[in-house]
Amino acid sequence: MRFITGFPALLFSVLGSISIVTATTQYHDESFIPDAVLRVTQQNITQSCLASKTNVLINGTSPGPELRLLEGQTYWIRVYNDMTANNLTMHWHGLSMAVSPFSDGTPVASQWPIPPACFFDYEIHVPIGMAGTYFYHSHVGFQAASAAGPLIVDDLHVPYHYDDEKIIFIQDTFTKDFQTIEKGLVNTPLVWSGEAAAILVNGKGGGSANGTACNASLSVIDVEPGKTYRLRFIGATALTFASLAIEGHGSLEVIEADGSYTQKADTSFLQVAAGQRYSVLLHTLPNPTQSTYYIQLESRDRPTVTRSFAILNYGPKYKNSTPFYPPPKPVVSLPKSTVGFLDYKLYPLQPSGDFPSAKEVSRTVTITVHQAVRGMTIWLENHYPWVDTFPTEPYLVSLYKNDGVEFPSMERAAQNGGLDPITRAFPAEIGEVVDIVLLNTGADSGGLDAHPWHAHGRHYWDLGSGNGTYDAATNEAKWAGKEPATRDTTMLYRYGLTTGNGTVQGWRAWRLRVTEPGVWMIHCHILQHMIMGMQTVWVMGNETEVLGKVPRPEVEGYLTYGGDVYGNESHWPTAVHYFDTWAENQ
């Protein structure tokens, strides 16, 4: 396995052949050694040109350390909440169906958060075929703006040749601290977070925001002439929909999107939204005419433009001695927001043969997105928001406890576009094929936003996007004889700045084969929008399938906030081992 320039790497050993067997409860005392340890703290730091403010850091840095896994293996990652007054979870973005039922890291859906001064052991099994680019982040409030880091799953056999690889980890930062932003977003009236004050690459960034120049030092990506590099772009922003290109390098070959290898797709620029990841092959210049070239990034679909830069360095390897700074003006001309970027152009490198035809689709579930003012400014999906105050405990916990939150009804859901209005959850049956259609509508004020929608639980086949309402037959014809790439985060675009209140203007369509029982989230990955209610919870499978995955009494420690599955300085935790060593059961 290789180290990635710019991040301290935590590498895991090969553990041997792993298979899924019956869950067992085990005590994690001092004899249990996790494969990696993440410690999350709240500290004041300075980012870019901003004044020092409170951020949530992982192992003392933002972004956090790189985690590197190997497909086909099982790992335990211990996460300490060293904060004194804030809850915490950790989500393994894009690997959701590879985690045990209580390890997805979603506090409103599948698990209680980690209390302050406690730790939790997350179990992750990476199936063969899930090699690719991912990241991990907190799923509580606005913490993910800084509490995030790269997660790379290495291949047993790499399908594309390249000489080396580099991570381009994209974040944004704001003038306010995360707690002030959280309070403002749920305030009546809304107190907006403000636009991104800087875009960061690998923790650094300089350029301009709202017309104000920022002469901060830039990250440096070292390369050599005449070689091929795999650049892993990770969209870990809170708000920014980034357009980017590399000065003097007009050709990028996309080979991976959201953890799925694709056939090569040529492009001169990238658009990377919150939650998205792309790998591209960059063929460096055989005879560069200068020692450094700028990577230029700009925000899109926002009222103002935030611009930032990083350095592609052909010179001697950067030793962090002489800093590089942004140019006085843009060095490349980036296009305006390109709706439908790479839609109908990404195909799997190896077709799965499992792509369901339209005849196999059991039903179509429509999620209609709308911004409303009900005192608070909130985002509604099929007329309902999902916020931290509903429900009062994680939905999976409520189902296990049978304490008043009933199992969602397929019958009620069929009358409400797929949503059961009593439970506010979307039910699905194991084995069915569902088309999910996201509809963008004009807000109460008539405004429109673009939204990167992310699915936990399983990757979907992305069927594309368009303006107006969705015409299934017309769109299906575009895929005749073809299989779309599988994704986990794609854009619900806006096709204008304003439209009528509630008028549909823009759609995104997915196809999902329901195979993994559990409670999973599907949501917009803009942190501000999530806090304001733009998230949905899905219950896939019936009661026996969902609650029988890990039966009682094994789950008891997960059903109470601060239960015995959470360790602290006074006691070790218990943990359900969902993925167990096959040899132990022979």
Side-chain angles (χ1 to χ4, degrees), residues 190-435:
L190 170 72
V191 180
W192 179 239
S193 62
E195 299 301 308
I199 301 172
L200 308 177
V201 171
N202 299 349
K204 293 183 176 182
S208 62
N210 305 319
T212 301
C214 169
N215 197 36
S217 62
L218 307 177
S219 287
V220 177
I221 312 297
D222 289 320
V223 296
E224 297 178 11
K227 292 193 173 183
T228 299
Y229 289 85
R230 178 180 184 168
L231 304 183
R232 297 181 185 262
F233 290 90
I234 299 176
T237 54
L239 176 65
T240 299
F241 181 23
S243 180
L244 65 93
I246 304 175
E247 177 191 15
H249 298 69
S251 177
L252 302 172
E253 295 176 323
V254 176
I255 60 166
E256 178 216 349
D258 297 346
S260 298
Y261 280 112
T262 68
Q263 298 176 30
K264 290 182 180 179
D266 292 333
T267 182
S268 60
F269 72 103
L270 280 181
Q271 284 186 169
V272 185
Q276 292 185 319
R277 293 94 58 216
Y278 292 100
S279 282
V280 306
L281 295 182
L282 172 70
H283 304 288
T284 55
L285 305 174
N287 298 295
T289 58
Q290 54 198 64
S291 61
T292 61
Y293 294 83
Y294 285 104
I295 304 171
Q296 183 174 316
L297 307 92
E298 293 176 357
S299 62
R300 290 292 179 262
D301 282 338
R302 300 305 310 164
T304 57
V305 174
T306 302
R307 181 179 295 115
S308 190
F309 298 88
I311 296 292
L312 191 71
N313 178 40
Y314 280 86
K317 286 192 175 180
Y318 185 57
K319 302 296 185 182
N320 209 29
S321 54
T322 303
F324 289 91
Y325 292 99
K329 60 182 181 180
V331 295
V332 297
S333 179
L334 289 167
K336 295 181 178 179
S337 178
T338 302
V339 295
F341 176 70
L342 293 180
D343 287 352
Y344 310 99
K345 295 180 180 179
L346 293 182
Y347 306 102
L349 178 60
Q350 299 292 336
S352 67
D354 191 41
F355 174 51
S357 68
K359 293 180 180 179
E360 295 180 71
V361 175
S362 312
R363 60 196 172 103
T364 298
V365 174
T366 301
I367 302 177
T368 302
V369 175
H370 180 74
Q371 187 189 76
V373 179
R374 305 286 189 267
M376 293 173 55
T377 300
I378 56 175
W379 286 98
L380 306 174
E381 294 73 54
N382 294 10
H383 309 295
Y384 292 93
W386 190 291
V387 293
D388 286 350
T389 56
F390 179 90
T392 56
E393 62 185 358
Y395 195 76
L396 181 59
V397 168
S398 294
L399 294 179
Y400 268 108
K401 292 167 68 174
N402 192 24
D403 60 0
V405 176
E406 61 181 288
F407 214 84
S409 161
M410 288 289 291
E411 290 73 23
R412 290 194 298 260
Q415 301 171 16
N416 196 55
L419 172 69
D420 175 5
I422 302 299
T423 63
R424 301 194 199 177
F426 288 78
E429 296 178 345
I430 300 300
E432 71 170 325
V433 175
V434 180
D435 276 4

Side-chain angles (χ1 to χ4, degrees), residues 37-40 78-82 88 114 118-120 572:
V37 174
L38 302 177
R39 304 202 73 120
V40 180
R78 177 164 292 175
V79 178
Y80 284 87
N81 181 3
D82 290 332
L88 172 73
I114 308 169
C118 293
F119 66 87
F120 183 79
W572 296 103

Side-chain angles (χ1 to χ4, degrees), residues 115-129:
C118 293
F119 66 87
F120 183 79
D121 291 340
Y122 286 92
E123 184 183 22
I124 300 176
H125 175 76
V126 187
I128 300 293

Side-chain angles (χ1 to χ4, degrees), residues 177-192:
D177 64 46
F178 75 99
Q179 292 170 313
T180 302
I181 289 174
E182 288 176 15
K183 291 177 182 178
L185 294 172
V186 298
N187 190 67
T188 303
L190 170 72
V191 180
W192 179 239

